[in-house]
Amino acid sequence: MENAQNTVPAGSSLASAVERLDNALGALESRVKALQVKAGELPADSLDLVDAAEAARLKAEIEALKSREKLLEEASRGAFEALGIAAKDIRQILSEQAA
């Protein structure tokens, strides 16, 4: 049975990955700003722990999304090349049948 992700065009998956990456970056920026606002309320050591843990989590998520984006780009290039070859083969077969 086909996976639902296999039925979505590669461009849509890539756009979705880029959107998730943008959202993660936005969340990171928002979190950093919120922590900067609260910096006066938190002890310095707890701020470092919260900030470092959240930043590490978001960094890992961003890296995973970047990796997925690269895989999707490679897959879309491969699919495009395969479609080009298939189109060429079809044109050749049609011209041979017409002759």
Side-chain angles (χ1 to χ4, degrees):
M1 178 175 225
E2 278 192 13
N3 185 337
Q5 289 180 333
N6 292 339
T7 61
V8 177
S12 296
S13 296
L14 180 59
S16 178
V18 170
E19 183 178 342
R20 288 192 310 270
L21 180 60
D22 287 340
N23 290 340
L25 287 172
L28 177 61
E29 290 172 355
S30 296
R31 183 71 176 147
V32 168
K33 286 180 184 177
L35 288 172
Q36 287 172 339
V37 169
K38 290 185 174 185
E41 301 171 11
L42 297 173
D45 59 345
S46 67
L47 178 58
D48 291 341
L49 291 175
V50 170
D51 188 30
E54 184 70 7
R57 184 188 69 77
L58 290 172
K59 183 178 180 182
E61 185 177 339
I62 288 168
E63 289 304 315
L65 288 170
K66 286 180 180 179
S67 176
R68 175 129 170 95
E69 178 184 17
K70 287 179 184 178
L71 289 173
L72 290 170
E73 286 175 347
E74 291 172 10
S76 67
R77 275 193 297 274
F80 182 75
E81 289 172 10
L83 284 172
I85 292 168
K88 179 182 172 187
D89 291 346
I90 290 170
R91 283 191 293 273
Q92 182 179 356
I93 291 169
L94 289 174
S95 72
E96 288 173 0
Q97 286 179 350

